[in-house]
Amino acid sequence: MTRHLVLAFVAGFLAVLCFHQPVVGLLHAYGVIPFAPYSTSPAAPLGVPAWFSASFWGGVWGLVMMLVFALRRIDQGGWWKAGLFGGIALTLMAMLVVFPLKGRGIDPAIFPIGFLVNGAWGLGTWMFVRAWRQ
């Protein structure tokens, strides 16, 4: 069981670096969002680089997603369900909890962008977990 939890965390961590941030880069390159990927700006409260903070939380969410999938016995069609989980759950959490805690308002117009970025994370997490499963 511990191995599966570590696997889920590592998959979510790496999915930020390999799926989430490249989508951020594409959206930035096309002028859709103003911020670039792989930011080294310090993230509160510990002052670690923003990319590391995002990756850590991606790992935590990887644990959550894979525990939900295990409890619901989701295996068939998991790739698109993982994309929906990331796109919906993570984006709503950011919009309704994280942004208000950081003093930002709730802006429904950012949902499609969050859905793309976080959906890519969900798909990436699923792909890593499936590739490493034995």
Side-chain angles (χ1 to χ4, degrees), residues 52-119:
F52 185 83
S53 178
S55 295
F56 171 80
W57 286 107
V60 171
W61 277 103
L63 283 169
V64 171
M65 182 175 80
M66 295 317 296
L67 285 171
V68 167
F69 280 25
L71 289 172
R72 303 287 302 164
R73 292 179 173 36
I74 295 174
D75 196 43
Q76 296 295 332
W79 64 272
W80 65 267
K81 292 173 185 172
L84 284 178
F85 179 91
I88 295 171
L90 273 66
T91 304
L92 287 177
M93 178 63 76
M95 287 176 55
L96 301 176
V97 177
V98 176
F99 292 169
L101 285 173
K102 291 184 174 184
R104 293 177 56 184
I106 297 172
D107 182 6
I110 66 166
F111 186 85
I113 294 165
F115 185 86
L116 288 173
V117 171
N118 294 318

